[in-house]
């Protein structure tokens, strides 16, 4: 045995520790320096209502971040556009949050009128029965106004013209997006491509999305989250890439599959051409089971609403 | 006059620093756990306390977390090692006066924390909420502890260092550094980097302080309580190096779904999974040491606390790597499941081992036998069952929340469905806090009640000699 094993031991502890600090604390600071983006929260808006930056301090002081997160994830549907790394450059101390006892507040700004926000902060249960959010009635007027002003700025940089867009990896702004475009030889505006897409759609998608794409295929009966109804005018704003992205990666949190794993790129572009060609001017809503496409002959029993939507709790 | 004043506040009496630290820990645990209980009740009855900023849930939460982590657990740890290190080195604590000085400094930090956090005077970073001045004081306190512990080991009367000492010395080396980095007092970092460093600290206060110290204490307590030799010294070294290597980079697994760099997430997740290795070696060592001695758990309450802690440690460390993997994290993150996991580690594992150390050390320091074994049993059962109830209710609540997010259900809907579990959690809080008060009562009766001084323990005599 070595005459002094502890010297070696302490040296080893020391080096290990320094290496770890280097790789997980110093290296990220050097390598990870995202540029500020335009989609970040803009606190500099002239506003008579209050001081948003001061409101942010109140947000921290009152510990709102223990219950509310401030970053949207791919699977968070209904919480607005996704965040980018550059959105957070001026956000210090960070309020990313780790628990969502309440909703995500990334894009909360503008979702409710300021008066509602104020009432909600003073007496949450008056506007949201059953809420467990604490009451912040003890805030003085100035604090309250600044806090509401801050809430209303959340996500104000992220209001983009097209509401949803595919991630950058699919758009021609990144090398991978450009490569995707370069590989594509299907003209998504042509009738021929759309006709080719129809066949693929009938085979792979109609069971859920219905023959006309109204989201009413026979499989939709069993789905808690109903398949998308492509007749909605909303879909007019979808870019080719957005369609392609959805088809390829599915919709997290729903039964929409990831067709990127089973269909070729070419087939998926044909599908895009077909989906684009569907009429999207007049929304078709499906209200009763009788209106479902039944691929004849169907053996499915006729169900009551309680039966085909067992989670609705019968009301 | 002068010297008696100093003797009173910076006593030189052997063992006094350890005892004072343990008693302070107990004192703060009552306040901090009590705050946790009130915060828990507010989830079931949000309008119970109205218009009192100091008692609003987020303020209580800040104080609860810092109070139990820096007050109760850390102080109990320091108190325990002030006893354990000298007893392993067969000498006295390097400087009892310095030890008592640290004790006062730490208590002042806690008073400051209490006053500041309940008023929302926070730096706004989870686990690092303390305002800057208090941060400096904590660093001073940690350095004085390190000096004391290293001094004791340097003047030891045995040749070989037992594995517990490795853990204590390691922790006293890296934790002050982790603390300084984690507070980010000197630098303002851009948002996401702030998050990265924040979770480096947030996880390493667990990994490089609570775990390494707690495991060191288990290594100390188990062989002594069972009077069996440690199963394998080689395994214990493997475990030590494994923890030292794999724990530190795991922090980013708290923010795997935020837009931080992918390579950093990968490092964090891989090291989290590798943590299985040290954990399994450590626990194999413990459970093999227990071989043939399990029966003792029935009668020896101190041992029962320690073994319960080891058991919960096993569960914590099975959960940890599981949650860190991307596909599980994708589902479970943001939910109360994680809160359950945090309590499993800090309450189930480290609070139990601190309590075990407390029950072991106190009689040996004061020469007084425990006032009542019955009260210790009550403490055990209230804490154990209370904790199980908390864990189960939070886990179920977490699964409901996670399902809610995954299926895009509105918050308003699932938050109604988890109300029963909030309620159970409040009840579990009542049980745990009640247990802690019984503990405190027992300690009070033992130390200040009428009792004939019985035998001073052998190891205590060794310290005095």
């Amino acid at each position: 045995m070595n005459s002094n094993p502890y010297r070696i031991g302490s040296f080893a502890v020391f080096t290990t520790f320094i290496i770890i600090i280097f790789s997980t604390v110093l290296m990220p600071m050097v390598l990870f320096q995202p540029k500020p983006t335009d989609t970040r929260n803009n606190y500099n808006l002239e506003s008579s209502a209050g001081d948003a930056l001061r409101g942010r301090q109140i947000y921290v002081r009152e510990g709102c971040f223990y219950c509310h997160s401030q970053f949207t994830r791919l699977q968070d549907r209904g919480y607005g556009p996704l965040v980018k790394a550059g959105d957070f450059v001026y956000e210090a101390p960070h309020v990313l949050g780790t628990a969502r006892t309440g909703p995500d507040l990334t894009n909360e700004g503008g979702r409710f009128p300021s008066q509602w926000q104020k009432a909600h902060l003073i007496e949450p249960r008056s506007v949201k029965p059953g809420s467990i959010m604490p009451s912040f009635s003890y805030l003085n007027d100035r604090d309250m106004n600044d806090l509401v002003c801050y809430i209303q700025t959340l996500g104000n940089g992220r209001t983009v013209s097209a509401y949803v867009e595919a991630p950058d990896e699919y758009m021609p702004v990144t090398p991978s997006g450009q490569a995707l475009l370069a590989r594509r030889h299907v003209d998504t505006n042509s009738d021929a491509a759309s006709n080719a897409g129809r066949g693929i759609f009938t085979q792979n998608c109609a069971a859920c999305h219905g023959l006309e794409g109204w989201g009413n295929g026979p499989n939709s009966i069993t789905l808690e989250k109903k398949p998308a109804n492509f007749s909605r005018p909303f879909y007019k704003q979808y870019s080719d890439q957005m369609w392609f992205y959805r088809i390829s990666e599915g919709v997290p949190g729903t039964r929409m599959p990831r067709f990127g794993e089973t269909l070729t790129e070419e087939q998926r572009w044909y599908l895009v051409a077909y989906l684009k060609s569907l009429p999207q001017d007049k929304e078709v809503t499906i209200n009763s089971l009788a209106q479902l496409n039944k691929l004849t002959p169907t053996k499915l029993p006729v169900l009551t609403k309680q039966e085909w939507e067992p989670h609705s709790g019968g009301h | 006059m002068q010297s008696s004043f100093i003797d009173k506040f910076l006593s030189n009496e052997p063992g006094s620093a350890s005892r004072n630290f343990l008693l302070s820990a107990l004192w703060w645990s009552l306040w901090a756990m009590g705050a946790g209980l009130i915060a828990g009740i507010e989830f079931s009855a949000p309008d119970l306390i109205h218009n009192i900023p100091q008692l609003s849930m987020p303020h209580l939460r800040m104080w609860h977390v810092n109070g139990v982590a820096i007050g109760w657990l850390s102080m109990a740890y320091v108190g325990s090692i002030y006893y354990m290190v000298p007893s392993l080195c067969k000498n006295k604590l390097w400087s009892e006066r310095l030890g008592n000085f640290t004790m006062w400094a730490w208590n002042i930090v806690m008073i400051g924390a209490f006053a500041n956090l309940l008023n929302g005077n926070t730096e706004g970073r989870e686990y690092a909420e303390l305002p800057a001045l208090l941060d400096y004081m904590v660093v001073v306190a940690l350095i004085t502890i390190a000096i004391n512990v290293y001094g004791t080991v340097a003047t030891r009367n045995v040749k070989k260092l037992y594995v517990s000492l490795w853990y204590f010395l390691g922790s006293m080396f890296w934790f002050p550094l982790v603390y300084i980095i984690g507070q980010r007092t000197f630098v303002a970092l851009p948002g996401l980097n702030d998050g990265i460093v924040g979770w480096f600290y947030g996880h390493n206060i667990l990994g490089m302080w609570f775990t390494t110290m707690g495991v060191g204490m288990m290594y100390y307590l188990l062989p002594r309580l069972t009077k069996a030799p440690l199963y394998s010294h080689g395994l214990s070294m493997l475990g030590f190096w494994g923890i030292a290597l794999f724990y530190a980079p795991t922090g980013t697994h708290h923010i795997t779904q935020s837009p931080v760099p992918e390579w950093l997430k990968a490092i964090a997740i891989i090291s989290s999974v590798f943590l299985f290795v040290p954990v399994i070696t450590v626990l194999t060592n413990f459970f093999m040491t227990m071989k043939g001695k399990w029966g003792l758990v029935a009668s020896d309450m101190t041992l029962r606390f320690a073994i319960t802690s080891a058991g919960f440690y096993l569960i914590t460390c099975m959960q940890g790597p599981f949650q860190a993997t991307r596909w599980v994290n994708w589902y479970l993150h943001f939910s109360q499941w994680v809160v359950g996991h945090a309590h499993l580690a800090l309450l189930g594992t480290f609070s139990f081992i601190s309590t075990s150390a407390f029950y072991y050390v106190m009689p040996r320091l004061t020469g007084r036998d425990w006032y009542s074994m019955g009260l210790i049993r009550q403490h055990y059962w209230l804490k154990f069952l209370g904790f199980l109830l908390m864990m189960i209710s939070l886990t179920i609540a977490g699964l409901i929340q996670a399902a809610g997010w995954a299926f895009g259900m509105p918050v308003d809907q699932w938050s109604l469905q988890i109300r029963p579990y909030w309620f159970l959690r409040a009840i579990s809080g009542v049980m745990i806090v009640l247990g802690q008060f019984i503990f405190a009562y027992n300690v009070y009766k033992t130390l200040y009640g009428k009792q004939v001084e019985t035998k001073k323990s052998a190891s205590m005599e060794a310290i005095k000699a």
Side-chain angles (χ1 to χ4, degrees), chain A residues 20-241:
Chain A
I20 288 166
I21 299 281
F22 177 77
S23 63
T24 55
V25 179
L26 296 178
M27 220 153 68
M29 310 254 226
V30 178
L31 296 185
F32 180 59
Q33 293 178 336
K35 293 205 176 50
T37 47
D38 298 337
T39 49
R40 66 177 193 269
N41 295 334
N42 180 0
Y43 299 122
N44 298 325
L45 293 179
E46 277 302 318
S47 157
S48 53
D51 177 353
L53 264 181
R54 191 170 169 277
R56 191 175 193 283
Q57 287 162 11
I58 311 270
Y59 186 87
V60 170
R61 187 186 81 195
E62 296 308 325
C64 311
F65 61 92
Y66 293 119
C67 290
H68 292 287
S69 64
Q70 280 197 27
F71 62 95
T72 42
R73 308 170 297 172
L74 208 60
Q75 71 264 37
D76 294 333
R77 315 207 65 235
Y79 282 90
L82 287 179
V83 292
K84 301 199 176 77
D87 294 353
F88 294 95
V89 176
Y90 301 116
E91 298 280 339
H94 75 92
V95 286
L96 293 171
T98 46
R100 281 186 184 168
T101 306
D104 181 86
L105 296 183
T106 316
N107 298 307
E108 177 68 15
R111 195 174 292 166
F112 296 98
S114 297
Q115 282 312 317
W116 185 96
Q117 291 288 7
K118 216 164 163 175
H120 181 247
L121 285 169
I122 292 172
E123 186 40 75
R125 276 144 301 280
S126 67
V127 288
K128 278 277 177 93
S131 165
I132 58 149
M133 171 146 151
S135 149
F136 293 93
S137 52
Y138 54 79
L139 292 180
N140 63 32
D141 276 353
R142 175 156 176 244
D143 288 357
M144 182 64 84
N145 284 335
D146 290 349
L147 182 58
V148 170
C149 185
Y150 168 68
I151 295 177
Q152 296 292 28
T153 51
L154 290 176
N156 64 0
R158 250 171 251 114
T159 28
V160 278
S161 50
Y163 192 60
V164 265
E165 196 47 285
D168 284 350
E169 288 74 18
Y170 286 82
M171 305 301 287
V173 295
T174 57
S176 63
Q178 283 150 5
L180 181 69
L181 207 57
R183 282 198 300 276
R184 170 175 113 173
H185 52 79
V186 175
D187 177 3
T188 51
N189 294 321
S190 71
D191 287 348
S194 159
N195 267 331
R198 185 202 312 275
I200 306 173
F201 185 86
T202 319
Q203 281 174 16
N204 295 288
C205 325
C208 289
H209 287 280
L211 282 173
E212 301 90 339
W214 293 348
N216 59 345
N219 264 358
S220 68
I221 296 173
T222 58
L223 299 181
E224 161 112 351
K225 195 93 192 166
K226 298 295 170 211
N229 173 353
F230 300 123
S231 73
R232 294 173 56 200
F234 169 76
Y235 288 112
K236 273 198 283 192
Q237 61 186 332
Y238 267 32
S239 63
D240 285 7
Q241 281 86 359

Side-chain angles (χ1 to χ4, degrees), chain B residues 370-439:
Chain B
W370 283 106
Y371 166 70
S372 156
M373 281 314 273
L375 287 180
I376 300 185
R377 282 214 176 76
Q378 286 174 23
H379 176 205
Y380 178 82
W381 285 113
L382 280 171
K383 198 163 173 168
F384 179 68
L385 293 179
F387 171 69
L388 278 190
L389 182 63
M390 167 182 283
M391 184 68 204
I392 292 168
S393 53
L394 284 177
T395 302
I396 298 178
L399 288 173
I400 296 176
Q401 282 183 310
W405 284 108
F407 295 105
M409 245 197 258
V411 173
D412 306 325
Q413 194 176 330
W414 57 248
S415 68
L416 293 179
Q417 280 152 3
I418 57 182
R419 284 198 299 187
Y421 305 100
W422 293 133
F423 185 70
L424 287 181
R425 202 264 297 262
I427 293 188
S428 77
V430 173
M431 293 170 72
I432 293 164
V433 172
L434 187 64
Q436 199 72 6
F437 271 91
I438 289 178
F439 179 26

